[in-house]
Amino acid sequence: MLGRTFNVHRDAVKQFLHTYDRDIQQYHDSQGVTNLRGHNRQAGRNVHQLKAFVQKHLQNLS
């Protein structure tokens, strides 16, 4: 999603995931995520909340 939605380069995505690993895990826990692969495509999933989470962290990087 970072690459597709926010046009972030693949290597930057890897760095983002590494840098914010703990925050991402906490986010997943708060959302009840049990399947990391494709969990944002599940019916009823609010991707706007995820986009806001990512946007906030991307702004912290710049």
Side-chain angles (χ1 to χ4, degrees), residues 2-14:
L2 285 171
R4 187 174 54 249
T5 302
F6 294 98
N7 297 316
V8 177
H9 188 271
R10 182 177 290 260
D11 289 336
V13 170
K14 290 178 185 178

Side-chain angles (χ1 to χ4, degrees), residues 12-59:
V13 170
K14 290 178 185 178
Q15 181 62 38
F16 179 90
L17 294 175
H18 176 75
T19 300
Y20 292 106
D21 182 59
R22 183 174 294 145
D23 294 307
I24 293 167
Q25 184 60 46
Q26 289 174 349
Y27 173 79
H28 285 160
D29 290 345
S30 75
Q31 297 296 307
V33 172
T34 57
N35 176 11
L36 295 180
R37 185 176 176 99
H39 70 276
N40 291 317
R41 293 184 290 271
Q42 294 173 355
R45 183 68 67 187
N46 182 354
V47 296
H48 299 292
Q49 192 173 9
L50 175 61
K51 288 179 181 180
F53 170 85
V54 171
Q55 188 67 43
K56 178 183 91 172
H57 286 81
L58 287 177
Q59 288 173 345

